Amino acid sequence: MKPSGLIAPGAPLPPPHRAALVLLFALVAVLSLRQVGSIDTGFHLKAGEHLLSGGGWPRTDPFTFTINDHPYIDTSWGYQVVLALIQGRFDAPGLVLFHAALALAVFLVLYRTARLAPVDSTTLVTLFALGAVACEMRFEARPELASWLFLALTLHILHRRAVGLAASLPALAALHLVWANTHGLFVLGWGAIACFVIGDWIRQRRFDRHLMAWGLASVAVTLVNPYGWRGALFPFTLATRLRGENLFGQSIGEFVSPFDLGLSSQFPFYPRLPIHAFQLLAVLAVVALVPLLRRKRYECALVLIPFWALASMMIRNIPLLVVAGLAPLAWGAPLSGLMAAMRLRARTREIAARFAASAVALAAIVLGLRVYHDAYYIASRRADRFGVSWNHLILPIDAARYADKVGLDGPMLNHLNFGGYLMWARPQRVFIDGRLEVAGEEFYKDYQNVLANEGDMEACVARFGIEWIVFPYDTNPKLLGRLSKDARWRLAYADHLAAIFVRDGPLAGRFVDPALALEAGAPPPDDLLPGIGALPRVSRLTRWARGLVRVEEFPFDDFHRGLFHFFRGDLARAQRSFASAALASSGAYYEIYSDLGAVYYRQGRFAQAAGCYRVVLRDDPGNKVAKERLASMPAPPPGGPTR
C-alpha cells in the first residue's frame, strides 16, 4: 500500500516510516537514559529496604522524626521492593535501565494498539514523535512509569475487544491486582473500563455484560492490598490535594497546568519543546473527536475527554493524554484524509508522506544527539543529564557524604527536595520529604513558615532540638542571607548545590567558615569577558551545532557559587565566580551576565553593569530587569567607557 494510504493491521509500514519509527524508539531510549535525579527516588528506596528488612507495611510514617504519628498508606510498596532489589544489585545503572525499559515498553504497547485498526503511517509516526517528546519530562525513576504501562496494557485489551479481536478480559483483573500494589494511579484503569462500557452502550443500546463483570472484578481485586478498602480509596483522597486551590497545587511546579505556566522574567527557562508537543497533541485530540464520533467510535471519544482534562490540569499528567490518546488520535485524524480532502494528486500525497517521514527521522536523530550531549537539557537550563549514574546536580550527594564524614547525626532541618535522598543515604530520620500525602497541608504550611521567618525558625529549633540545617541555596536565597548574618548559626559546608549551617554551641566550634576557602585569586579582567571586552561571545548557531558533536557543559559550579556569595552579600567573590563562569562558557549563557550585572550594579560599577545588561537584552530583548537597570544608571562621562 502506498505511504499516503491507510495501512491495514498486520501490514508493514512503508520503509521511510518504518525507519522513522525505529529512530523514534531509539530517541525514547536516549531520553529515558537519564541520570537518577528524582527527589522521590530516595524515599522509595528507603521504603523498599524497610519492607525487605522485615519492617512490615507502615501504618504511620517511620522515616521522619517530626510527623511519625501521621497515617501512611504506602500504595507504591510493590514498586519500592523491586526498586530496592535492583539498586542493591546494580545501583544507579540498574535503576536507569529499569525505568528506560518501562518507557520503551509503554511506547511499544502504544504502537501495537494503534495497529489494531487501519492507520495512516504518516500520522502514526508524527503522533509517536510528539508523544515521545511530550512525555520526556517525566522519564524519571518514579512509579508512574509503571502506571503508564499498566494503563497502556489495559487500553490495549479494551481496544482489541472494541474492534472485534480476541481479548483476555480476565487479564484486566490481574493487571489491576498488581497495579493496586504498585502505584496509586490504578483508578485510571477503572475509568478506562467505564469509558468502553458506556461507549458500547451508546452504540448498541445495551451493556457488554461480560466486560462489565470483569470491570467490576478489576475494581474488587484492588481491595487485595495491605490496607484493604483504605488503600483502594486512597487515590481519591490524594486527588483532593492536587487541585489548583490546594496549598500543594499552589506551590509545587509539577502541579502547574501546561497551559498556564506562570513564567516571569526572573524564571524565563522551561522545556519548551515538550510543552509545545503536548499543546499540539491537545489541539489534535479536540479535532479528532468529530471524526471519531462520526464513525461511532464512542469509546475512543470518551477516553480522550477525561484524559485530556487530566493532562491539561498539571504538567505531571501530560503522559496520560499520550498513553490514552495516541491510538484514538491515529485513527481519528489521518493526514492522508486531510490531503485527499485538499484534492492533492496521489503522487503529490505520496511525496508529502515520504518527506514527512524523513523529517521525523531527521528530527529524531538531531534531538537524540543533542540529548546524548546534554545540549538539549542545558538549552532550558535543566539539571537533567544523560547517563546511568546518580545526578549530583540535583541530589545532595556531596552534602550527605560530608555530613557522614564529620558526624552530623543530630536532628536536622532539611529542605523538602533533599529529604528523600537524605533519609535513604544516611541513618538519621529527616524533618520532611516529598511524601506530601503524609505531611498534610498543615505541617507543610508550618514548614514553609519555618524557612521564611526567623521567629518560626527559632520555635522549630526549640521544639525539635534542631542542630543543623541543609538546603539548596539557589531556591532559598533569603534563608541563606538570613542565616549568614545570624550569630546563632555557623556555616559549616557549601558546594555547588547545598549549604549546611550548624547551631552555635559545642558542635559549631569544630567548623571553619568554608566560604573563606572558596575561589582564591583575582577575577578575570573585565576586558577578557566575552561580549563585554575584546573577546566575542560564541554564537547561538555555533553553540547549537556544537551540541550535535560534543558534550555541552554549563558552568554549574562557578555559577552557583556566584549565587552563593551574592546571596550572602560577598560581592567580590560573587564577581569572581560569575566572571569565571562567563569566561569558561565563552559567554554562551545570558543569565550569567544578568547576575554579573547585578553584582556590578551593587558595586556602583555602572559601565560594566551596562555592558552585562546589553548582553542580556541581545538574547532576551524583553528582559524587564535589564531594561530597568539600564534606564536607571547614570550616563557615562564624556569620553568615558561606553561598553
Side-chain angles (χ1 to χ4, degrees), residues 5 99 103 189 555 575 633:
H99 291 89
Q575 178 203 343
M633 292 180 193

Side-chain angles (χ1 to χ4, degrees), residues 22 43 47 53 90 94 109 269 276 292 314 352 354 380 387 399 427 469 532 534 579 585 626 638:
V22 170
F43 73 68
S53 66
F90 302 106
V109 174
F269 298 107
H276 292 333
L292 287 172
M314 57 186 69
R354 293 180 181 275
S380 52
I469 301 175
I532 296 178
S585 61

Side-chain angles (χ1 to χ4, degrees), residues 332-544:
L335 293 176
S336 58
L338 176 63
M339 289 189 288
M342 295 170 62
R343 301 181 181 276
L344 297 178
R345 298 172 59 182
R347 179 59 179 168
T348 303
R349 296 200 301 268
E350 182 177 346
I351 293 173
R354 293 180 181 275
F355 176 81
S358 300
V360 169
L362 179 61
I365 293 172
V366 170
L367 183 56
L369 288 172
R370 287 181 56 78
V371 172
Y372 178 77
H373 293 118
D374 290 332
Y376 172 72
Y377 300 125
I378 292 175
S380 52
R381 306 306 186 264
R382 293 160 65 180
D384 296 311
R385 294 294 183 267
F386 177 84
V388 295
S389 59
W390 295 97
N391 191 319
H392 286 247
L393 303 182
I394 299 175
L395 301 176
I397 298 171
D398 300 325
R401 290 174 179 169
Y402 173 81
D404 285 337
K405 178 181 177 181
V406 300
L408 286 175
D409 52 9
M412 72 170 129
L413 171 60
N414 63 275
H415 192 273
L416 181 148
N417 289 353
F418 287 174
Y421 182 82
L422 291 174
M423 73 164 57
W424 172 71
R426 307 193 69 243
Q428 285 75 33
R429 295 187 180 192
V430 298
F431 187 92
I432 192 173
D433 65 277
R435 295 167 301 141
L436 300 179
E437 71 278 9
V438 180
E441 290 91 333
E442 183 177 351
F443 182 79
Y444 180 69
K445 184 176 181 179
D446 290 342
Y447 155 77
Q448 288 185 310
N449 290 335
V450 166
L451 297 186
N453 304 306
E454 180 181 344
D456 290 309
M457 171 79 75
E458 288 304 302
C460 176
V461 170
R463 178 183 177 187
F464 295 107
I466 300 297
E467 296 181 4
W468 57 292
I469 301 175
V470 54
F471 61 98
Y473 51 80
D474 65 329
T475 56
N476 297 267
K478 292 183 179 179
L479 176 61
L480 176 61
R482 193 175 80 235
L483 294 179
S484 297
K485 299 174 183 177
D486 192 332
R488 292 167 294 191
W489 296 97
R490 177 173 296 185
L491 179 67
Y493 174 82
D495 60 24
H496 60 281
L497 174 66
I500 293 178
F501 284 82
V502 296
R503 189 69 172 178
D504 189 38
L507 180 65
R510 295 160 31 194
F511 301 99
V512 176
D513 188 334
L516 299 176
L518 297 177
E519 292 90 26
D526 295 336
D527 59 2
L528 290 183
L529 295 182
I532 296 178
L535 297 177
R537 295 175 64 208
V538 61
S539 70
R540 287 186 177 184
L541 179 60
T542 299
R543 190 169 74 247
W544 185 90

Side-chain angles (χ1 to χ4, degrees), residues 134 257-261 270 272-285 308 318 321:
S257 168
F259 291 109
D260 184 22
L261 294 172
Y270 73 104
R272 287 176 168 79
L273 192 59
I275 295 295
H276 292 333
F278 164 76
Q279 291 170 343
L280 181 55
L281 283 172
V283 172
L284 292 175
W308 185 97
I318 282 178
L321 177 61

